[in-house]
Amino acid sequence: MTHRPAVFAALLGLTRAGSAIGDFWVQSDFCARVKGASDDHPVTYKDPVTEKETTHGTASGRAACLHHCLTYVATQAVVAGLGARALGIRVHPAAAAAALAVSFGTHYAADRRVPGKGLLEKLADKTGKGGFYRLASQGLNGAFHLDGAFHHGCETVAALIATTKATTR
Protein backbone atom coordinates (compact mmCIF):
# COMPACT_ATOMS: atom_id res chain seq x y z
CA MET A 1 0.00 0.00 0.00
CA THR A 2 1.79 3.12 -1.18
CA HIS A 3 -0.96 5.58 -0.34
CA ARG A 4 -1.74 4.68 3.27
CA PRO A 5 -1.97 8.33 4.45
CA ALA A 6 -4.60 9.02 1.76
CA VAL A 7 -6.52 5.87 2.69
CA PHE A 8 -6.35 6.88 6.36
CA ALA A 9 -7.68 10.36 5.58
CA ALA A 10 -10.50 8.94 3.46
CA LEU A 11 -11.50 6.38 6.08
CA LEU A 12 -11.34 8.95 8.86
CA GLY A 13 -13.58 11.30 6.90
CA LEU A 14 -16.01 8.52 6.11
CA THR A 15 -16.19 7.20 9.68
CA ARG A 16 -16.55 10.76 10.97
CA ALA A 17 -19.51 11.31 8.64
CA GLY A 18 -21.01 7.98 9.69
CA SER A 19 -20.53 8.98 13.31
CA ALA A 20 -22.39 12.25 12.91
CA ILE A 21 -25.23 10.56 11.04
CA GLY A 22 -25.41 7.76 13.62
CA ASP A 23 -25.27 10.11 16.60
CA PHE A 24 -27.68 12.78 15.42
CA TRP A 25 -29.96 11.33 12.74
CA VAL A 26 -30.19 7.61 13.54
CA GLN A 27 -30.14 7.72 17.35
CA SER A 28 -33.66 7.79 18.75
CA ASP A 29 -34.82 10.41 21.22
CA PHE A 30 -35.44 7.60 23.71
CA CYS A 31 -31.86 6.32 23.49
CA ALA A 32 -30.41 9.82 23.69
CA ARG A 33 -32.31 10.55 26.89
CA VAL A 34 -32.20 7.16 28.64
CA LYS A 35 -28.70 5.81 27.81
CA GLY A 36 -27.22 7.35 30.98
CA ALA A 37 -29.96 6.15 33.34
CA SER A 38 -29.11 4.16 36.46
CA ASP A 39 -30.98 2.93 39.49
CA ASP A 40 -29.29 5.68 41.55
CA HIS A 41 -30.05 8.31 38.87
CA PRO A 42 -33.25 7.22 37.09
CA VAL A 43 -34.45 9.03 34.00
CA THR A 44 -38.10 9.85 33.35
CA TYR A 45 -38.89 9.73 29.64
CA LYS A 46 -41.95 11.39 28.18
CA ASP A 47 -42.94 9.88 24.84
CA PRO A 48 -43.40 12.80 22.41
CA VAL A 49 -46.32 11.08 20.65
CA THR A 50 -48.31 9.49 23.47
CA GLU A 51 -47.05 11.85 26.21
CA LYS A 52 -46.84 8.80 28.48
CA GLU A 53 -44.09 9.07 31.11
CA THR A 54 -41.94 6.10 32.06
CA THR A 55 -39.06 5.90 34.53
CA HIS A 56 -35.88 4.03 33.64
CA GLY A 57 -32.97 2.70 35.69
CA THR A 58 -29.72 0.83 35.07
CA ALA A 59 -31.08 -2.00 32.90
CA SER A 60 -32.94 0.39 30.60
CA GLY A 61 -29.95 2.74 30.47
CA ARG A 62 -27.60 -0.05 29.45
CA ALA A 63 -30.06 -1.36 26.86
CA ALA A 64 -30.62 2.11 25.38
CA CYS A 65 -26.87 2.73 25.19
CA LEU A 66 -26.29 -0.70 23.62
CA HIS A 67 -29.02 -0.09 21.03
CA HIS A 68 -27.59 3.32 20.20
CA CYS A 69 -24.04 2.00 19.85
CA LEU A 70 -25.16 -0.84 17.60
CA THR A 71 -27.01 1.52 15.25
CA TYR A 72 -24.13 4.01 15.46
CA VAL A 73 -21.52 1.43 14.40
CA ALA A 74 -23.82 -0.02 11.76
CA THR A 75 -24.20 3.47 10.29
CA GLN A 76 -20.41 3.94 10.32
CA ALA A 77 -19.96 0.55 8.62
CA VAL A 78 -22.44 1.40 5.85
CA VAL A 79 -21.06 4.90 5.22
CA ALA A 80 -17.41 3.81 5.35
CA GLY A 81 -18.09 0.67 3.31
CA LEU A 82 -19.95 2.46 0.54
CA GLY A 83 -17.48 5.35 0.55
CA ALA A 84 -14.46 3.05 0.42
CA ARG A 85 -16.01 1.14 -2.46
CA ALA A 86 -16.70 4.38 -4.34
CA LEU A 87 -13.09 5.50 -3.75
CA GLY A 88 -11.62 2.16 -4.80
CA ILE A 89 -10.32 1.26 -1.34
CA ARG A 90 -10.34 -2.35 -0.18
CA VAL A 91 -10.42 -2.56 3.58
CA HIS A 92 -9.23 -5.85 5.07
CA PRO A 93 -12.23 -7.47 6.83
CA ALA A 94 -10.31 -8.13 10.06
CA ALA A 95 -9.07 -4.53 10.16
CA ALA A 96 -12.60 -3.24 9.53
CA ALA A 97 -13.98 -5.45 12.31
CA ALA A 98 -11.27 -4.32 14.73
CA ALA A 99 -11.87 -0.65 13.88
CA LEU A 100 -15.61 -1.01 14.39
CA ALA A 101 -15.02 -2.82 17.68
CA VAL A 102 -12.88 0.09 18.91
CA SER A 103 -15.56 2.53 17.81
CA PHE A 104 -18.32 0.51 19.49
CA GLY A 105 -16.49 -0.04 22.78
CA THR A 106 -15.27 3.51 23.21
CA HIS A 107 -18.62 4.95 22.17
CA TYR A 108 -20.47 2.83 24.72
CA ALA A 109 -18.00 3.75 27.46
CA ALA A 110 -18.34 7.45 26.71
CA ASP A 111 -22.11 7.50 26.25
CA ARG A 112 -23.02 5.68 29.50
CA ARG A 113 -22.96 9.01 31.32
CA VAL A 114 -24.13 7.89 34.74
CA PRO A 115 -23.73 10.98 36.96
CA GLY A 116 -20.60 10.67 39.09
CA LYS A 117 -19.58 7.38 37.47
CA GLY A 118 -19.29 7.99 33.72
CA LEU A 119 -15.96 7.70 31.92
CA LEU A 120 -16.02 11.20 30.44
CA GLU A 121 -16.95 12.83 33.73
CA LYS A 122 -14.13 10.99 35.49
CA LEU A 123 -11.63 11.93 32.76
CA ALA A 124 -12.79 15.55 32.89
CA ASP A 125 -12.41 15.67 36.67
CA LYS A 126 -8.93 14.08 36.56
CA THR A 127 -7.70 16.47 33.88
CA GLY A 128 -9.08 19.64 35.45
CA LYS A 129 -11.96 19.90 32.94
CA GLY A 130 -14.75 19.06 35.40
CA GLY A 131 -16.09 22.60 35.36
CA PHE A 132 -16.20 22.62 31.58
CA TYR A 133 -17.86 19.18 31.56
CA ARG A 134 -20.65 20.53 33.75
CA LEU A 135 -20.99 23.81 31.82
CA ALA A 136 -24.50 24.18 30.45
CA SER A 137 -25.11 27.87 29.87
CA GLN A 138 -24.83 30.60 27.27
CA GLY A 139 -25.48 28.12 24.47
CA LEU A 140 -22.63 25.82 25.51
CA ASN A 141 -22.66 22.30 26.86
CA GLY A 142 -19.25 21.14 27.98
CA ALA A 143 -20.18 17.44 28.23
CA PHE A 144 -21.35 17.52 24.61
CA HIS A 145 -18.12 19.08 23.38
CA LEU A 146 -15.89 16.77 25.43
CA ASP A 147 -17.95 13.81 24.18
CA GLY A 148 -17.39 14.87 20.58
CA ALA A 149 -13.66 15.38 21.07
CA PHE A 150 -13.35 11.96 22.74
CA HIS A 151 -15.21 10.29 19.87
CA HIS A 152 -13.07 12.09 17.28
CA GLY A 153 -9.92 10.81 18.95
CA CYS A 154 -11.22 7.24 19.15
CA GLU A 155 -12.38 7.36 15.52
CA THR A 156 -8.88 8.43 14.53
CA VAL A 157 -7.48 5.31 16.21
CA ALA A 158 -10.18 3.21 14.52
CA ALA A 159 -9.34 4.71 11.11
CA LEU A 160 -5.66 3.92 11.65
CA ILE A 161 -6.61 0.33 12.46
CA ALA A 162 -8.84 0.15 9.37
CA THR A 163 -5.93 1.08 7.09
CA THR A 164 -4.07 -2.06 8.12
CA LYS A 165 -3.58 -4.17 4.98
CA ALA A 166 -5.87 -1.84 2.98
CA THR A 167 -5.28 -1.78 -0.75
CA THR A 168 -6.54 0.22 -3.68
CA ARG A 169 -8.43 -1.37 -6.56
Side-chain angles (χ1 to χ4, degrees):
M1 175 95 235
T2 59
H3 303 290
R4 190 167 182 222
V7 170
F8 164 74
L11 291 176
L12 179 58
L14 291 166
T15 57
R16 191 62 227 126
S19 171
I21 294 165
D23 249 353
F24 303 116
W25 287 99
V26 175
Q27 179 176 209
S28 70
D29 181 61
F30 178 83
C31 287
R33 293 179 188 273
V34 175
K35 65 188 177 187
S38 71
D39 293 341
D40 293 336
H41 298 279
V43 171
T44 300
Y45 177 76
K46 183 176 181 179
D47 187 290
V49 176
T50 65
E51 296 189 7
K52 179 182 176 187
E53 288 189 2
T54 52
T55 302
H56 303 273
T58 301
S60 294
R62 288 177 179 157
C65 195
L66 177 65
H67 183 266
H68 164 57
C69 291
L70 288 171
T71 60
Y72 170 89
V73 169
T75 303
Q76 280 187 312
V78 168
V79 171
L82 292 174
R85 183 160 183 81
L87 294 171
I89 299 168
R90 289 186 184 172
V91 179
H92 191 279
L100 291 171
V102 166
S103 184
F104 176 87
T106 58
H107 201 87
Y108 184 92
D111 276 20
R112 267 299 279 152
R113 289 192 214 157
V114 176
K117 297 180 181 177
L119 173 68
L120 288 183
E121 185 177 359
K122 287 181 179 180
L123 285 173
D125 287 340
K126 287 182 191 270
T127 59
K129 298 290 182 191
F132 182 66
Y133 179 87
R134 291 170 188 80
L135 176 66
S137 64
Q138 302 160 9
L140 290 175
N141 179 312
F144 174 78
H145 287 291
L146 290 174
D147 174 89
F150 180 83
H151 291 321
H152 287 241
C154 293
E155 288 158 10
T156 301
V157 172
L160 282 169
I161 292 168
T163 63
T164 304
K165 296 185 182 179
T167 61
T168 53
R169 298 176 199 257

